[in-house]
Amino acid sequence: MPAQHRRLQITRTAHLYQLGDLSAATRHLWIVCHGYGQLAKYFIRHFEVLADPETVVIAPEGLSKFYLQGFSGRVGAAWMTKEERLADIEDYVGYLNQVLEDALQMAPSAEVHVLGFSQGAATVCRWLAQLQKPVKELVLWAGIFPEDLNLSQAQKMLLNVKLTYVYGLQDSFISPDQVQEQLDRMHQMGFTPDVLTFTGEHTLNAAVLHQLKDS
């Protein structure tokens, strides 16, 4: 007799890190999603350049954790893998919806900015494709539009949204051809993103973050 595959919805604890205090005075809310194998408590340190009395940064952490090497030592987190990927996507979309909803209850006047780094770029795209709340800005950093995001979803997601694509010129994970493929795909969808580059590899960059804050 073959084994049956069943699904069971459970309650679990998610972790997120925050710079600044949410309040009615908050004007800018940044939701920033890390890449594969990162942890939010370290990832959010890069965004200290954004935080000010009117700006709050929230870094949710992927729901799956694992040892980066072997069976001990450093731990990383991920948003999804190919195994049961649709269930993982459903879970993190619901998770990010709740993160944003809770934040906007405390900061109802805040404009929402979303940044996805590496694996986090595809993550935020899938999330925003179904989001019913307005977003002012989307930053895709060293990542891609997921191939399973269709044209109508993308157009809905990016309606009235400022789109920026960022990458390091020495990023070994993204070749110039891949960058051009991503930009061509965005152009085919009818979008013209701002493109920001920096001298560096697969990482965030403080000078570019300053530029995003001032734009």
Side-chain angles (χ1 to χ4, degrees):
M1 177 184 298
Q4 300 181 44
H5 177 204
R6 300 176 58 220
R7 296 178 62 185
L8 178 66
Q9 296 288 335
I10 64 170
T11 300
R12 61 166 299 173
T13 300
H15 300 272
L16 56 156
Y17 289 80
Q18 179 174 314
L19 293 171
D21 297 319
L22 292 162
S23 72
T26 304
R27 293 182 54 204
H28 301 283
L29 170 63
W30 282 83
I31 306 293
V32 298
C33 290
H34 63 78
Y36 180 82
Q38 296 181 307
L39 292 177
K41 64 181 177 181
Y42 303 122
F43 183 68
I44 199 169
R45 295 177 183 176
H46 295 278
F47 297 92
E48 293 175 357
V49 298
L50 296 180
D52 61 37
E54 296 182 333
T55 304
V56 173
V57 183
I58 297 177
E61 189 166 87
L63 295 173
S64 299
K65 294 185 180 66
F66 55 94
Y67 289 115
L68 295 175
Q69 294 182 336
F71 302 101
S72 63
R74 292 178 56 208
V75 173
W79 295 100
M80 59 166 288
T81 66
K82 66 179 181 180
E83 185 71 17
E84 301 297 338
R85 62 183 296 278
L86 295 180
D88 282 350
I89 291 171
E90 182 180 343
D91 286 344
Y92 73 58
V93 164
Y95 166 31
L96 294 174
N97 282 341
Q98 185 172 342
V99 169
L100 181 59
E101 182 178 346
D102 289 351
L104 290 179
Q105 286 181 355
M106 292 178 278
S109 300
E111 294 179 328
V112 179
H113 309 254
V114 176
L115 181 149
F117 172 74
S118 195
Q119 188 190 48
T123 298
V124 298
C125 285
R126 295 190 183 99
W127 170 44
L128 296 183
Q130 58 76 55
L131 188 66
Q132 301 300 313
K133 299 181 184 299
V135 170
K136 179 179 181 180
E137 179 177 12
L138 170 62
V139 180
L140 301 180
W141 194 308
I144 63 172
F145 268 97
E147 294 183 0
D148 55 350
L149 194 66
N150 63 42
L151 179 59
S152 63
Q153 287 176 312
Q155 289 175 331
K156 174 185 175 184
M157 175 184 72
L158 295 174
L159 183 66
N160 300 320
V161 174
K162 178 184 178 183
L163 176 62
T164 303
Y165 189 78
V166 185
Y167 66 98
L169 296 174
Q170 288 76 40
D171 193 331
S172 60
F173 290 92
I174 302 178
S175 69
D177 288 344
Q178 288 173 312
V179 170
Q180 191 57 53
E181 180 182 344
Q182 285 299 306
L183 295 176
D184 289 344
R185 187 176 179 205
M186 294 179 196
H187 292 150
Q188 290 168 4
M189 292 177 175
F191 309 119
T192 305
D194 292 337
V195 179
L196 302 178
T197 61
F198 60 95
T199 301
E201 300 184 355
H202 196 69
T203 186
L204 295 165
N205 177 274
V208 174
L209 288 172
H210 269 295
Q211 190 172 348
L212 291 172
K213 179 179 176 65
D214 295 337
S215 63

